[in-house]
Amino acid sequence: MKEWWVHVGLICIPLVAVYLHIPPPHLSPALQKWHSAGEVFHFRGREIFYRDSSGALGSSDVIILLHGFPTSSFDWNKIWEPLTQRFHRVIALDFLGFGFSDKPRPHKYSIFEQASVVEALAAHLGLSHQRVNVMSHDYGDTVALELLYRSDQNRTGHLTFNSLCLSNGGLPETLFCLSKLLKDSSFLAPVLTRLTNYMLFQKGIGDVFGPYTQPTDAEFWDMWTGLRHNDGNLVLDSILQYINQRLKHRERWVGALTSTFVPLHMIYGPLDPVNPHPQFIRLYQKLVQRSTITILDEHISHYPQLEDPTGFLNAYFNFIHSF
């Protein structure tokens, strides 16, 4: 008679196979509304999702929003309407590999390519010769710095900055254990990305929110849905190579930040475990002396635009009205 573990294995193998191929969750009404309000354009044969809302009458100001890792343009949903009351156009995109955009695999994702995606979107929307305000967060901060470098340093950029507002990023940061494994292990990464489930994701995202500003169950689920759309969980390890790119090209990107004459602002949630206080903000102040800074309440963490949208907007509008 066969060993009992053989029978267990014969039962478990198909169950695990089914589990690893669970279809992505359905869009919630909120996420469906966001998706329906957007459009796509094509970048090198890939579909890129974006939103472009017309807003304030009598204003010609444009703002482009660049989201963080591993989420999407939906990160801006809590401040979207107030921004449309201030700006003529409010634009956000899902980077390649994120949200509702295509998520090719295998693919060598890079900050350079994402910056080119933003430039292509600006050209698509007729903004190549217009000064734009850029607001960014986390991963988007590094994309913004590449765009700034192209604009300021080598004059090859197709985006002209009116201002740049960073949030909880822009300088090399620490990594969580899972992020380190995904970025460094070509052997483990395919296994870990397939084993990533909602509970692990919720724990990981919850760790970068403050204890009093945690997402609701619905908000956690929307983030997870955006990640799982088009099997986005399977490209996490490829996208995370941006950490190595940040280190390799630190002089290029931090140099652009320290030398620019574009108006700069940093909005910072000080409870951030990714960019810990006070080390991160002290380093930023030392390196980027021309930038103004807003440090939000002590309970705000890595996602300030979601954790404290009112404080975030007040900080941003104070900045934008200062020049």
Side-chain angles (χ1 to χ4, degrees):
M1 183 177 179
K2 293 182 178 180
E3 298 291 336
W4 64 269
W5 53 268
V6 174
H7 294 282
V8 172
L10 290 173
I11 295 172
C12 288
I13 288 172
L15 289 177
V16 171
V18 170
Y19 168 74
L20 294 179
H21 291 84
I22 291 175
H26 295 295
L27 303 186
S28 69
L31 210 52
Q32 181 63 57
K33 182 180 179 182
W34 186 265
H35 182 254
S36 298
E39 302 177 63
V40 298
F41 82 104
H42 289 86
F43 174 81
R44 299 175 185 171
R46 310 292 188 183
E47 287 192 350
I48 303 296
F49 172 84
Y50 70 94
R51 284 198 61 180
D52 178 12
S53 292
S54 298
L57 297 176
S59 171
S60 60
D61 293 346
V62 176
I63 184 169
I64 297 177
L65 312 176
L66 307 179
H67 68 81
F69 174 92
T71 42
S72 70
S73 60
F74 194 59
D75 290 350
W76 306 110
N77 76 93
K78 290 186 178 181
I79 63 172
W80 191 265
E81 289 305 319
L83 288 175
T84 64
Q85 295 170 23
R86 167 59 180 82
F87 290 93
H88 173 58
R89 291 173 77 177
V90 181
I91 299 160
L93 76 157
D94 288 345
F95 291 124
L96 187 69
F98 293 79
F100 294 121
S101 292
D102 280 352
K103 299 170 178 176
R105 68 179 200 277
H107 186 80
K108 292 185 177 180
Y109 292 89
S110 76
I111 294 296
F112 300 101
E113 182 179 45
Q114 303 289 20
S116 296
V117 170
V118 178
E119 290 181 327
L121 175 60
H124 175 73
L125 298 177
L127 299 174
S128 295
H129 303 290
Q130 182 167 345
R131 300 177 72 84
V132 300
N133 302 284
V134 176
M135 177 188 290
S136 59
H137 172 242
D138 183 70
Y139 181 91
D141 290 332
T142 306
V143 177
L145 296 186
E146 170 59 20
L147 291 165
L148 187 65
Y149 176 87
R150 296 181 186 186
S151 177
D152 281 1
Q153 301 293 322
N154 64 6
R155 307 297 179 182
T156 64
H158 301 286
L159 200 69
T160 304
F161 281 78
N162 187 56
S163 70
L164 172 59
C165 179
L166 307 166
S167 56
N168 285 73
L171 301 176
E173 66 246 21
T174 56
L175 291 176
F176 291 121
C177 181
L178 180 59
S179 296
K180 290 179 181 178
L181 283 171
L182 287 175
K183 101 178 165 63
D184 292 334
S185 176
S186 58
F187 172 75
L188 284 177
V191 177
L192 291 173
T193 53
R194 283 200 172 272
L195 289 175
T196 299
N197 58 29
Y198 175 70
M199 289 184 292
L200 289 173
F201 174 81
Q202 184 182 38
K203 175 65 168 62
I205 290 292
D207 284 346
V208 298
F209 278 74
Y212 306 113
T213 56
Q214 288 286 299
T216 65
D217 289 344
E219 289 167 343
F220 272 126
W221 194 251
D222 283 339
M223 293 178 191
W224 173 243
T225 301
L227 175 67
R228 283 296 318 279
H229 187 78
N230 287 339
D231 291 327
N233 56 305
L234 302 184
V235 302
L236 288 176
D237 58 316
S238 299
I239 293 173
L240 269 170
Q241 295 307 310
Y242 88 95
I243 298 296
N244 293 329
Q245 295 164 25
R246 285 168 63 94
L247 298 174
K248 181 178 180 180
H249 302 287
R250 185 184 190 279
E251 183 176 342
R252 174 186 180 102
W253 292 329
V254 176
L257 187 60
T258 58
S259 63
T260 188
F261 287 97
V262 168
L264 291 173
H265 192 66
M266 168 69 75
I267 302 177
Y268 178 64
L271 203 58
D272 187 356
V274 181
N275 304 287
H277 184 70
Q279 297 94 322
F280 173 83
I281 209 67
R282 286 177 179 169
L283 179 60
Y284 183 84
Q285 289 173 314
K286 178 181 178 180
L287 293 175
V288 196
Q289 297 180 10
R290 293 190 60 257
S291 176
T292 53
I293 299 169
T294 299
I295 300 178
L296 299 176
D297 290 345
E298 61 182 14
H299 62 278
I300 304 303
S301 187
H302 187 65
Y303 275 83
Q305 75 275 39
L306 291 174
E307 297 178 68
D308 184 11
T310 300
F312 189 95
L313 282 169
N314 287 339
Y316 183 68
F317 288 149
N318 285 337
F319 162 63
I320 209 74
H321 293 146
S322 68
F323 60 90

